[in-house]
Amino acid sequence: MSRIVPVLLCLAALASVPAFAAGNDSAGSTAKGSEITLNLKDADIRQVAQMVSSITGKNFIVDPRAQGRVTVISAKPITADALFSVFLSVLQVHGLSANPTGNDTWQIVPAVEGRQSPGENPKQLASAPGASMITQVVQLKNVQVAQIVPALRPLMSSYAQLAAYAPSNMLILSGRAANVRRIVALARQLDQPLNSGVDMIKLQYASATNVSQVLSNMLQGSQGQGQIPLKIAADPRTNTILVSGSPADRLQVKALISQLDKPTGRSGNTHVIYLHYAKAEDLAKILQGYAKSQKQQAQAAAGKGGGASSQPQINIIADKGLNALIVTAPPKDLAEIQQIVSDLDVRRAQVLVQGIIAELSANASSQLGISWAADSSGAAGLTNFPGGVVDLGSLAAAGANSGSGTGAATSLSSSSIPGGLLFGVGRIVKNGTSFVALLNALTSDGNTNILSTPSLVTLDNEEASLVSGQKVPFVTGQYTNTGQGQSSNQNLINPFQTVQRQQLGLQIKIKPQINYGGDTVTLKIDAQDSTIGANVQGAAGIVTNDRELKTTIVAKNHQIIVLGGLIDTQLQETRQKVPLLGDIPLLGNLFRYRKSDKTRQNLMIFLRPVILRNARDTDAVTRPRYNEIRQLQLGRGTSVPLLPGVKPPVMPQFHSPAAGTGSPAPEAATLIQGAPAGTRGAPASNDSGHHGYRR
C-alpha cells in the first residue's frame, strides 16, 4: 500500500520526539516499499537516525560524539533504499560514517575512525552506496606502486587512507565507496605497459663502438623521471647499434646516427698501433689476409647487387724498428683490426723443459791362463794365446834379435805386460834344455754413472735447441805427392787432406705447444747424443757412438715422463787351449786360457715440462739454480792465495722484479768482485751436483 506523508506531518513528528516515536510503530511496518517526500530543517541527527531506522528497518548504534543539526530538502518522493543513501550522505557532510557490524546493524562514528572499521565488502564495490566506508586492495602489474601513490594521494579526503605495499606491488585504499571507485579507475588507467621497443641500426661507414660511446655521453641523463629509459649498445661483430626506449627517443637516436654515419671524404684513417709482445712482421701477414678477405666479400656483395664495389682500400705496413703497425682503413674496419690486434698481442706463456739423461753401466771380467816356452839343442816350442798372457812369440823374437838375455829383458820391459797376477817359473841354461811357464790371473769390475740434466726455456710454439759437446775433425780425403812427375812443377804440389768437422756431444731440439686448458703440453723432441768410441779393427777413421731419439708426447704440467731407454746386456766367454794337451783332465788346465766378460748398460731419458705463465713462475725456477752457482762460488773462498788483494768473481744476489722490490740493488748492476765477509756457505746441491725433481 502506498501512502504520501505530508511534509507538515514530518515536521510535526520531528518537533515532538515522543509523539514521533509513538507514531512510528505503525509507520515502521508500512515504510518498506513506499515512497517518502523528505523535507527536514535543523533536525537533530539522532532523531533523523531514529526515523531512518523505523522506515528502513536498520539498527543504528550512535556514537556519543555524533552531534549535529540536519537540513534536507526533497522535491520528489524517494524510496526507502534511497532514504538510506541520503542518510549516509548526511552523515558524510557532518564528518560521520556508518559502518556495518553485522545483523543489519550499523555504527555511526566520526569518519576519522570509520576507516579503521570493517566497512563494506570489497567485492561489492560497484554496488556499495557512494557514501559508505569501504576498503579496497588494487594489484598493479606494470607501474611500481611507489611511483603512483604520490599522484593519487591528493585526490583522497583527509580522513581517507592510501597506502602502498611494495613487496606485492599493491595499493590499499580506505574511504567512501564513491571516491574509492574513482581512485581505482584512475589507478587502472595509469597501470599501463610502457611502449618500449628495440631498433637495430646497421652502420655503413662509422664504427658502431665509437658512435655508441658518443651517443651515450651526449644523451646521458636526458630522460626525465617516469620516462622509458633509453639504452644504447654496440655490436662490433656486425657493426650494428641497438637502441631501446620510447618511440620518440629511438627516432631521435636514428636521426643522430644518420648524421654520424657518413664517409670521411678520404680512403681511410691512418693509425699507428704499437705492439707489446707480437712481432710486427708476423702480425702484418695475418692482418693482410684479413684485409684480402674483406675485399673479396665486398666484391662478392657488389656482384650480387649489380653495382660497383665501393670498399675502401686497407693498407697495413709493419715497422720492424718500433715493432709497430701502420694501418690505413675505414673506421669500421679499423675498429675490427684494432680488436684483432688486441686479442693477438698478448703475453705468450713460456715452457721450461727439464731433462734427465741417466746412464748406468757395470763391467765384470775374469781371465786365467798359462803359457809355456821351451828350447833344447836348437829345437824350440811355445804356447801362445793371442790377447791373453804375455805374447811369448814376440818376446822370443825380440830375444833372438838381441842375441842375449839383456835384449830379452829389454823387450820384456818394453812389451805390454797384462794386469793382474803374473807368475813365472822356468830354467834357462846356455847348453841344455830351457823352459819358461807364465801364469796370468785377473778379475776386474767397473761401474759407470753418468747423469746429465739439460734444461732450456722457450716460448710457446717456438723451437729451442741445446748443444753441448765438441766439433771433431774427420778426414774426408787426402792427396799425396809421389814426386814422379816429368816436370818440376808437378813436384811443387804439397800433400794435403780435406777435413769436415762434425758436432759430437749432446744436441736437443724441443718445440712445446701448450694445449687448450693450459694444463698439458705437447712436446716435439729430437735428442742426439754422440761420443767417440773405441777403435774398431779395420775402421778407416774415428768411430762414434750415436744415440738419437725423435718423438712427440703429451705431458701434464710438472709431470715427469720417460721418453725412452736402452738396457743392453752382453756376455762374452773366450776359451783357448792346446790341442790334445788341453783335453787332458786336470792336467789340461796347464795348457788352457779362459776369459769371461759381462757388460750391462742402462740408458734412460726422462723429461718434465713446466709452464711459466708469468714472471713469478719464471723466478721460482730461476732462483734455485742461480743461488746454487752463487753458493759454489762463495764456497771457494774470498781470496786468491798467490795473488794478494785479488778477490774471485762472485755472482750478485738474486733480485726478483716480480716480487715488487722496485729498482734492483746497486750490487745487482755489476758482478761483485769478491764475496763479503761471513757469506761462505756450503753448496746447495748434492754430491753429484744435480737436483732431483720434486712434485
Side-chain angles (χ1 to χ4, degrees), residues 204-225:
Q204 184 177 0
Y205 303 101
S207 170
T209 303
N210 297 337
V211 172
S212 65
Q213 293 177 355
V214 173
L215 295 177
S216 299
N217 295 334
M218 183 181 65
L219 301 177
Q220 184 178 7
S222 61
Q223 291 78 31
Q225 186 176 3

Side-chain angles (χ1 to χ4, degrees), residues 294-319:
Q294 291 294 103
K295 182 178 180 180
Q296 292 176 352
Q297 293 178 5
Q299 292 176 352
K304 292 181 180 180
S309 174
S310 59
Q311 176 72 15
Q313 185 69 25
I314 300 177
N315 294 323
I316 301 171
I317 302 175
D319 185 352

